Amino acid sequence: MHSVPARRVALTLLAHPDDAEILCAGTLIRLAEAGWEIHIATVANGDCGTTMYSREEIARIRKAEGIAGAACIGATYHCLEEPDLNVVYSKETIRKTLDLFRKVAPTLLFTHPRHDYMIDHEQTHLLARGAAFGYGAPNSSTLPLLAGSAIPWLYYCDPVGATDPYTGEVVTPSTYVDVTAQMERKAEMLACHASQREWLRAHHGMDEYIDAMRRHNADRGSEVGAEFVEAFTMHRGHPFPEHDLLAELFGGHWQTVAP
């Protein structure tokens, strides 16, 4: 068993408002309950998530929803203010991401996997991974380097449907976190994103925003004999930390259940 890091700051860098609530909010709640400082960040402002409002109107609405969702657990919400469907790994977005990391100095980072259903997610993966590696370099940003800044533990959330969109294969996670006790608060966070119910019903044919989230966590839970679980894949490449911090914090060593 390794010691818990002295600096306990968790950051999610995901593509859109509500991604954190769907993918990893249960784990964020557990971290907050354990005394961690929580930051929820999105690259995009959500300006295409509507059939009713202008870009400017829905962006304002979704920012308020992001702030409200984060506030449910005492977290801070950040947005890099890129437009939906335009997230790219570019000099400007790299600069914004590095500056965010300099301000937050995360110990633990959650982002999208390399392969996901939407290119905004995949480009966010690149931004998060690149900043995690490089933000500690003194010349990577003009902002000051906070004491305790270091390459964080990096975990990839499940892709949508828990499947690789290029192969259709189910992703085998490295780490399971039981979030059964946190599900009601997680649902409360997701419910803050009220604007997305109508959007998903119109565009995705879904009218079960919260139920779909619960079902996914129940499916992952069935793999390890728990009611609700969030699943992650840990990044283990050089020079990132190599021991599974989430497993050590939350007892994530499971035996998978045979189908």
Side-chain angles (χ1 to χ4, degrees):
M1 176 69 70
H2 299 81
S3 61
V4 175
R7 183 172 178 79
R8 296 187 297 169
V9 179
L11 169 67
T12 69
L13 183 63
L14 297 165
H16 307 105
D18 80 6
D19 282 344
E21 284 81 352
I22 292 170
L23 298 173
C24 60
T27 302
L28 296 180
I29 293 166
R30 293 199 65 172
L31 289 165
E33 290 170 343
W36 284 63
E37 178 182 320
I38 310 297
H39 294 263
I40 296 174
T42 64
V43 178
N45 62 12
D47 65 350
C48 288
T50 184
T51 58
M52 302 167 56
Y53 301 105
S54 70
R55 285 180 177 272
E56 294 76 20
E57 289 171 322
I58 190 60
R60 284 195 296 270
I61 290 168
R62 298 199 69 188
K63 184 172 185 177
E65 291 172 344
I67 292 170
C72 288
I73 59 169
T76 302
Y77 176 72
H78 310 262
C79 183
L80 301 189
E81 302 294 351
E82 293 297 304
D84 280 358
L85 307 177
N86 286 266
V87 174
V88 292
Y89 186 75
S90 67
K91 289 182 179 180
E92 177 62 17
T93 51
I94 290 170
R95 182 194 62 76
K96 288 183 179 181
T97 308
L98 287 167
D99 286 352
L100 172 68
F101 276 58
R102 288 291 270 262
K103 293 174 184 176
V104 173
T107 315
L108 177 58
L109 173 65
F110 300 91
T111 193
H112 295 293
R114 182 178 180 183
H115 292 168
D116 209 342
Y117 85 110
M118 188 178 184
I119 299 301
D120 279 359
H121 289 207
E122 296 188 351
Q123 293 290 297
T124 297
H125 163 94
L126 295 176
L127 291 164
R129 181 177 167 188
F133 177 87
Y135 87 96
N139 293 339
S140 68
S141 169
T142 60
L143 299 180
L145 191 61
L146 299 180
S149 295
I151 293 175
W153 278 263
L154 172 56
Y155 288 87
Y156 302 129
C157 301
D158 263 343
V160 169
T163 57
D164 186 312
Y166 300 95
T167 66
E169 296 178 357
V170 175
V171 171
T172 300
S174 65
T175 310
Y176 295 90
V177 176
D178 189 336
V179 296
T180 304
Q182 289 73 36
M183 280 302 291
E184 291 310 311
R185 292 185 70 193
K186 177 175 178 172
E188 178 187 350
M189 291 174 70
L190 184 55
C192 290
H193 297 267
S195 69
Q196 294 310 284
R197 177 177 179 267
E198 290 302 322
W199 157 246
L200 289 173
R201 183 162 63 178
H203 190 262
H204 290 34
M206 294 173 58
D207 192 20
E208 48 174 1
Y209 195 36
I210 294 174
D211 287 345
M213 175 272 289
R214 289 182 183 273
R215 189 164 55 250
H216 175 75
N217 289 156
D219 288 344
R220 279 306 201 186
S222 70
E223 297 173 8
V224 292
E227 187 174 1
F228 294 108
V229 157
E230 290 174 347
F232 304 95
T233 300
M234 180 181 171
H235 184 95
R236 296 182 183 273
H238 173 80
F240 287 80
E242 295 183 357
H243 66 274
D244 192 338
L245 179 62
L246 281 183
E248 292 180 1
L249 288 172
F250 302 131
H253 300 290
W254 304 82
Q255 295 293 323
T256 55
V257 177

